[in-house]
Short mmCIF file of all heavy atoms in Angstrom, two decimals:
data_model
loop_
_atom_site.label_atom_id
_atom_site.label_comp_id
_atom_site.label_asym_id
_atom_site.label_seq_id
_atom_site.Cartn_x
_atom_site.Cartn_y
_atom_site.Cartn_z
N ALA A 9 -0.21 23.49 -3.94
CA ALA A 9 1.00 24.17 -4.11
C ALA A 9 2.13 23.39 -4.77
O ALA A 9 3.13 23.97 -5.23
CB ALA A 9 1.51 24.65 -2.74
N ILE A 14 4.44 10.46 -3.09
CA ILE A 14 4.04 9.08 -2.80
C ILE A 14 5.03 8.44 -1.86
O ILE A 14 6.25 8.53 -2.10
CB ILE A 14 3.81 8.31 -4.06
CG1 ILE A 14 2.75 8.91 -4.89
CG2 ILE A 14 3.53 6.80 -3.73
CD1 ILE A 14 2.51 8.32 -6.26
N GLY A 28 2.01 14.04 14.43
CA GLY A 28 0.80 14.01 15.28
C GLY A 28 -0.50 13.62 14.62
O GLY A 28 -1.56 13.88 15.13
N ALA A 31 -2.57 7.54 11.16
CA ALA A 31 -2.44 7.05 9.81
C ALA A 31 -3.75 6.45 9.28
O ALA A 31 -3.93 5.25 9.21
CB ALA A 31 -1.36 6.02 9.77
N GLY A 35 -6.72 11.91 5.11
CA GLY A 35 -6.72 12.95 6.07
C GLY A 35 -6.15 14.27 5.54
O GLY A 35 -5.96 14.41 4.36
N GLU A 38 -4.12 20.93 7.91
CA GLU A 38 -4.64 22.28 7.55
C GLU A 38 -3.50 23.29 7.60
O GLU A 38 -2.53 23.15 8.29
CB GLU A 38 -5.78 22.62 8.46
CG GLU A 38 -6.93 21.71 8.30
CD GLU A 38 -8.13 21.98 9.18
OE1 GLU A 38 -7.99 22.86 10.21
OE2 GLU A 38 -9.19 21.41 8.98
N ALA A 58 21.21 12.57 15.66
CA ALA A 58 22.01 12.58 16.87
C ALA A 58 22.13 11.20 17.40
O ALA A 58 23.28 10.83 17.89
CB ALA A 58 21.44 13.57 17.91
N GLU A 69 34.08 3.00 19.40
CA GLU A 69 34.81 2.85 20.65
C GLU A 69 34.98 1.36 21.01
O GLU A 69 35.97 1.02 21.66
CB GLU A 69 34.17 3.65 21.74
CG GLU A 69 34.23 5.13 21.61
CD GLU A 69 33.41 5.94 22.55
OE1 GLU A 69 32.64 5.30 23.34
OE2 GLU A 69 33.42 7.13 22.50
N ASP A 78 22.76 0.49 2.19
CA ASP A 78 21.34 0.20 2.14
C ASP A 78 20.56 0.83 3.30
O ASP A 78 19.50 0.36 3.70
CB ASP A 78 21.10 -1.34 2.16
CG ASP A 78 21.73 -2.03 0.93
OD1 ASP A 78 21.73 -1.37 -0.12
OD2 ASP A 78 22.16 -3.14 1.09
N LEU A 93 5.30 20.52 2.60
CA LEU A 93 4.63 21.30 3.62
C LEU A 93 5.02 22.80 3.60
O LEU A 93 4.18 23.68 3.77
CB LEU A 93 4.95 20.74 5.03
CG LEU A 93 4.42 19.26 5.28
CD1 LEU A 93 4.99 18.75 6.62
CD2 LEU A 93 2.91 19.27 5.28
N TRP A 105 -3.82 13.68 2.42
CA TRP A 105 -3.28 12.39 2.04
C TRP A 105 -4.41 11.37 1.84
O TRP A 105 -5.49 11.56 2.40
CB TRP A 105 -2.24 11.94 3.01
CG TRP A 105 -2.76 11.41 4.32
CD1 TRP A 105 -3.21 10.08 4.54
CD2 TRP A 105 -2.98 12.13 5.53
NE1 TRP A 105 -3.65 10.05 5.88
CE2 TRP A 105 -3.54 11.26 6.48
CE3 TRP A 105 -2.72 13.49 5.86
CZ2 TRP A 105 -3.85 11.67 7.77
CZ3 TRP A 105 -3.06 13.80 7.16
CH2 TRP A 105 -3.61 12.96 8.12
#
Side-chain angles (χ1 to χ4, degrees):
I14 297 174
E38 295 178 350
E69 290 170 359
D78 300 325
L93 296 170
W105 75 85

